[in-house]
Amino acid sequence: EAQVTQNPRYLITVTGKKLTVTCSQNMNHEYMSWYRQDPGLGLRQIYYSMNVEVTDKGDVPEGYKVSRKEKRNFPLILESPSPNQTSLYFCASTPVVGYEQYFGPGTRLTVT
Amino acid sequence: AQTVTQSQPEMSVQEAETVTLSCTYDTSESDYYLFWYKQPPSRQMILVIRQEAYKQQNATENRFSVNFQKAAKSFSLKISDSQLGDAAMYFCAYRSAETSGSRLTFGEGTQLTVNP
């Protein structure tokens, strides 16, 4: 089954404790993105990647890191999480410009 | 930079009735794509409908159709014969066809309630 998977689905952590949210797609898509969703703001792009070893900032990259060492994986790293990073996070992939994005199931992150 | 605005934070509709969700966007580009996504309580993002800017014909998918007004930069979603399962948050989204990358720019969302 073609899909985008994210882990964990839920995470509660404390300020400053490094964490990684994994994202994997099995559709051989070139493009992958991370978004965060906050009430009243919709979804905003954090980072995106056009291919292996090619990443770029989105609208809200501060406090986040990403890497793309393999085509299928695009982890999101929070090296020192803060409470303002409490949000719902989505990973997405797409094969070419113009196609809809395939979204993962979301990760609910709470930073206390 | 492109922006997408959904001016209706909440909407409600009676089951079997028709409802229209509004979306406006701002861009200087001529080639782009517009999408409506549905997010039910499960939080999964589900593509409802897609419109290519170069196509004059409005897209339709079963009970869902759009009214795409390129000059007015308006992209509304009409849901006919509303069903209880249509209750969800709906997001309008824009994607450039002229620049590289895969960014979707989203509106703020409209929470749709369907009353039995």
Side-chain angles (χ1 to χ4, degrees), chain A residues 6 33-47 58-60 87-92 101-107, chain B residues 2-4 6 36-40 43-46 89-94 102-110:
Chain A
Q6 292 178 230
S33 298
W34 276 102
Y35 296 87
R36 61 177 288 173
Q37 180 180 352
D38 301 291
L41 296 176
L43 283 77
R44 294 174 293 168
Q45 191 182 56
I46 302 170
Y47 269 96
D59 296 320
V60 288
S87 187
L88 177 60
Y89 291 86
F90 286 98
C91 180
Q101 301 215 346
Y102 294 78
F103 284 87
T107 295
Chain B
Q2 295 81 24
T3 59
V4 177
Q6 294 177 247
W36 278 98
Y37 280 88
K38 171 185 178 181
Q39 187 181 49
R43 304 193 316 233
Q44 182 67 42
M45 294 291 287
I46 302 166
M89 179 72 83
Y90 286 82
F91 291 101
C92 178
Y94 170 103
S102 62
R103 173 174 30 196
L104 281 173
T105 301
F106 285 87
E108 304 89 340
T110 298

Side-chain angles (χ1 to χ4, degrees), chain B residues 13 15 17 20 26 34 41 43 47-48 52-53 56-58 62 65-66 68 70 81-82 86 92 110 112-113 115:
Chain B
V13 63
E15 197 175 2
E17 298 293 307
T20 298
D26 188 25
L34 296 165
R43 304 193 316 233
L47 179 66
V48 175
E52 289 88 346
Q56 292 186 336
Q57 186 173 5
N58 289 324
N62 301 314
S65 61
V66 298
F68 173 49
K70 191 172 184 180
D81 185 25
S82 296
D86 295 333
C92 178
T110 298
L112 178 65
T113 301
N115 300 308

